[in-house]
Amino acid sequence: MVFVHARNSTVRTAMALRELAKNNGHISYFLPNQGCDYGQAEKQVLRSRNKQLRELFPDGFSIHHAGMLRQDRSLVENLFSQGHIKVLVCTATLAWGVNLPAHAVIIKGTQIYDAKRGSFVDLGILDVMQIFGRAGRPQFDKFGEGTIITTHDKLSHYLTLLTQQNPIESQFLESLADNLNAEIALGTVTNVEEAVKWLSYTYLYVRMRANPLVYGISHKVYQMDPVLEKHREQLVIEAGRKLDKARMIRYEERTGFFSSTDLGRTASHFYIKYNTIETFNELFDAHKTEGDILAIVSKAEEFEQIKVRDEESEELEHLINDYCELPVAGGVENGYGKINILLQTYIGRGEMDNFSLISDSAYVAQNAARIVRALFEIALRKRWPAMTYRLLNLSKVIDKRLWGWASPLRQFSVLPPSVLSKLEEKKLTMDKLKDMRKDEIGHMLHHVNIGLKVKQCVHQIPSITMEATIQPITRTVLRVRLSINPDFKWNDQAHGTVGEPWWIWVEDPTNDHIYHSEYFLLQKKQVVIKETQLLVFTIPIFEPLPSQYYIRAVSDRWLGAEAVCIINFQHLILPERHPPHTELLDLQPLPITALGHKEYETLYKFTHFNPVQTQIFHTLYHTDCNVLLGAPTGSGKTVAAELAIFRVFNKYPTSKAVYIAPLKALVRERMEDWKIRIEEKLGKKVVELTGDVTPDMRAIAEADLIVTTPEKWDGVSRSWQNRNYVQKVSILIIDEIHLLGDERGPVLEVIVSRTNFISSHTEKTVRVVGLSTALANARDLADWLGIGQMGLFNFRPSVRPVPLEVHIQGFPGQHYCPRMASMNKPAFQAIRSHSPAKPVLIFVSSRRQTRLTALDLIAFLATENDPKQWLNMDEREMNDIIATLKDSNLKLTLAFGIGMHHAGLHERDRRTVEELFVNCKIQVLIATSTLAWGVNFPAHLVIVKGTEFYDGKTRRYVDYPITDVLQMMGRAGRPQFDDEGKAVILVHDIKKDFYKKFLYEPFPVESSLLEVLADHLNAEIAAGTITSKQDAMDYITWTYFFRRLMMNPSYYNLEDIGHETMNKFLSNLVEKSLIDLECSYCIEIAEDNRSIEPQTYGRIASYYYLKHQTVRMFKDRLKTDCSIEDLLSVLSDAEEYTDLPVRHNEDQMNSELARHLPIEVNPHSMDSAHTKTHLLLQAHFSRAMLPCPDYATDTKTVLDQVIRICQAMLDVAANHGWLVTALNITHLVQMVIQARWMYDSCLLTVPNIEKHHLHLFGKWKHRKQKSNLGDFTGPIECLPELIAACEGMEEIFTNMVERDLQVMHISQAWNFISNLPAIDISLSIKGWWENSNQTLPIPCTPPGMQDRKWMTLHADQEYVLLVNLQRIRSGYKKGRQDSKAIAPKFPKAKDEGWFLVLGEVDKKELIALKRIGYVRNRNTASVAFYSPESTGRYIYTLYLMSDSYLGMDQQYDIYLNIVPASISAQVNSEVTGALGELEIK
């Protein structure tokens, strides 16, 4: 092998060597061996395009350098290793890149031309060593030979280098700036000190200490500073200044802090060098053409090593003329000119002959694509719309190698070039082609069959249609709701299988500015099913209003795929200006003795009320007017609620107070507090009323204070006419009333509207007290609550008992997860600087984030001197606590003084963490956002880490409501300990301005009643308060929505607020809702189109608090004989489950889970909430392992609703008289409560009994000698048999199972068995026979007995079936039995009850259904039914179905002989019926 140092000298040397060999007659040494495979080799060489290769090969010579084509290089390498080529002349790259050994190696000359210096330099020793390393082939040679040919003066230099070993020095200094920038952008280096430490991990540091002189460090300096601290600092500061000058970082000399900028992050992300960024800063601005951009890109430092070679200039001239569409700055002579030419040729898909140009071109194309993308990001960050658009297009032009003006169809490889050229000649736009038929296209192209292909391709180019609606929030902020509809055909070859990325931005053409931009992925599934996507964002507006903004969407990958949507401000009405806040008066703080009640005073630990409480005291405690109190979190609003409650206790002791809190967690917190303070100390009854806890009527009737959630109270007060206790309420306190603007807001709206409605009917006023954070539009709320000047207190957000200092930091990055990760270091530093020893709360959006954040913080702690500095207790004590925990991650984090808090934790773990944090044993608590509402733990510092959460419904990250962020911030500052609180909010940088604005001025509350208007109207129609369209219109005027409609009409799409338009708008609303309800079979609109009748379905929806879409689905999908599988799928498709979260990557988890479950689900809907519900229910019945703790809480969410949905399904089935469906629904309820399949043995519902224990019962035989006839002998196959076998004695049961179960498990199982409801039944029928009213017993014949006793009844007449139920308790424990069913797997307490179903099996018809509560000792239920109309014999069956247990059901046949109707009996039964009704009234 002969090594030379330039590409052209390879050919020259090879030719010269060949000539010499021929002249000296030595050519025979070099000729290839004429073996069998030589012919093959010769053919390959002749095929090559390289002239010199073809020429040299027959003589056994060849060349190899990087300017050759890849296939030629590989060919040469193969031929050399096979021995066909004897002498290979190559450049030094071959020594490094390819492992080709030879016997002898010659280095010809040691001078290399260095383009940067413009002169020759010596070949480095590393290259020499590497080249010599190629001498000697291990398989063939005993030794190798290396020859180096150099000038005389260099001889000794190379000799010493070869004989002595030279150390490898570091080259890190050259790119110190770039690497430092990367670390700063990552967030691992934030100040000079950390950078100095970072340098100590480099090889450079190792060499600087070992060999300081090479790096310009004098001996003296080294002695004074042996660890080179000062020198490293100097290096860092220099690099920092350089980067600061280039605007890649901000470097504060005074403090030594580095903070990264968008430019620096972009440079780091796209791997762009510092010098290139300097070039860009100098040349790049908002008004460059495509030609200018290419010129700027060509000057990037990345292209330094591309040289201009003389022999290429001619060809480059040709390329300029043939392929360059844009002017080339610098021409052929300059490096950057050459790069520009190559780039344009690459885009134009030009052909090049010179091999070195081909390889340069590939290099240019690879780098240019990256650099243009970087410029695009820079322009987007600088918010230059025109430039952003140009650069995005240019980067696609380079990716696709198509000029922007070519036909977009050229992006499809399936279309032949001739067709494309024709299309371009005809200048047809895509829209025109879309409208043409395939045969039209075919004829036009004179190629009939291609029409279809062209048509398909046109429809595959991604295109979307956008529609924007705008809602002014305040006079300066506009919310834009952008709905995006995909309008193209998906094809996996063209689009891949994931999604199509788009960039969307809002631009203001007059000011040339982008107000909002985001990256958006249109997923394959959404395109296939044409699902509309909704983006919501806010943009600023300025007065005077601009004429219009554009929303532009441009595909990230496809040329010619873009859409524009215009936002017009012509008809925009800005909302009214907000009235000013209440000023906080400078009053003397009131002492608590002002209450004038000793008992009340003892409830408070403080002696004086705070300023806010002092100012509102009189209004709350001494008057009855409605009050709205808006004050920041932490200003003692709970005390305000208590004052209002005490007023009721003092003045109206017989009436009730209702306190409504929006979350169960808040209700629970209030209950824990008030149970002690109000119930125990004041002796008043406090009752909790939520979805989890439903006390019986008596408890509610006796209660003085009811604490409840909005939905529950809405459900209860819907039927206020016949619920006495609802009418006894004299005060309604609504906490967090600003949640009106939330999606659960409408419920609050309905409650208050209904309360006002009730009090206008019962002539008794109900006082309403609303508590909220500081509001922007308090006046509207006050008007709606009927509050004059007197009861409105709306303090500004700054009136906090503890002042708050807020820091907002923006973080870049499209993608959520990496952005969250980049926030961890800043969060750690915020703790270090703001609250090194006081408690810290960190809010994150998901359970996964709590874990990731905690682990990262631990990693940062590990680098500190004292990693356990956040743990304020003895480690041994902590270890004892850790041993009691269930959650493995928590065990790890608590050891470092970091707690985690989210809904996925076990109740006990959660309590432990709360206690440790409240008592300052651990310093940091990382919690999900719900904690901000649910529990009142203030901390000194609150960090909100990210303000978006993943919304399973839209499968995107969406922003928290602003109220949530305020609530989180409100947790900062502890009134008892701190004189100020700190909040640090880490947000996505594009939202920074928005938060800056709204964290200081309050956010107006708008109504969201419109989305759910239909359901609430239905409730009122079912209750009878609305009977006509006019009523419905009047009803709306009671709502808060109506108040806001007047104040901010544009928000609700109302053109103007004239009387006429308003009426039309409202009547359309009512009309639309009523039609929806009519389609859902809930109501009937009468012939006159005015009056409205409620229907059964509507009553069911209202009673069970279901959405009307759900009952519509019941009507459409429930049939006469649904199996349990059918019912399960109907249940999981209920509208109530649409909101079940499907988080990131849970579709994979769902398909994994589905593989282990018995019933198959649609494999394409794994990311649907309904499918997940279906799977969770199946997993609940199978008691399957769930893939992650989130699924356990999701299951709880699902089970929360199941019972009421099933009850509603049962009512629907009963209404239609479907016997099979009704019985299966009761089975489904039993399955849900006991968490077993219907088909499993019911013995498995016994706690701790699994499938492998069943054999114990199967083998069991009765062991007693004297066996009474009634005794059960064995084997045991179901629960009643087990009860019979045990005869109430625990020891019999223990004998059965003691081999396989532990003692504790046996007693749990026995507790279940001994409480099972074994019921004895006797039946009788009451009614008229001929002339007497009597009650006749029905002989109970167990099914299968021969001698049937037939009862004679008259046809078509009402009878009552009396069912006597008696609970059998043989030898069980005495004492008051609990009415709750034992259901270890069901999350809520469930009252045991029964369904009585009377049916006729032959006709599959249900005749009557009755629900019965808990049977304590004995109970009589009456079931009324009409006897059949025609005479003959009938068999009715009575089913007694448990609503809580599997396998405890009973059925009895009743044999009826129907004789002709008797007139007297009929008349009599009707008369007694009428008398009975009179008595009832």
Side-chain angles (χ1 to χ4, degrees), residues 576-603:
E576 298 298 316
R577 295 187 189 281
H578 299 309
H581 288 284
T582 312
E583 289 305 327
L584 187 63
L585 306 176
D586 194 6
L587 302 172
Q588 185 69 33
L590 261 183
I592 54 172
T593 49
L595 288 164
H597 248 271
K598 271 281 171 274
E599 300 94 90
Y600 296 164
E601 289 165 31
T602 55
L603 300 183

Side-chain angles (χ1 to χ4, degrees), residues 219-234:
H219 191 62
K220 194 165 137 203
V221 172
Y222 183 53
Q223 274 179 327
M224 284 166 60
D225 183 13
V227 289
L228 297 175
E229 185 103 20
K230 282 275 175 293
H231 185 72
R232 279 181 291 158
E233 194 175 330
Q234 213 37 56

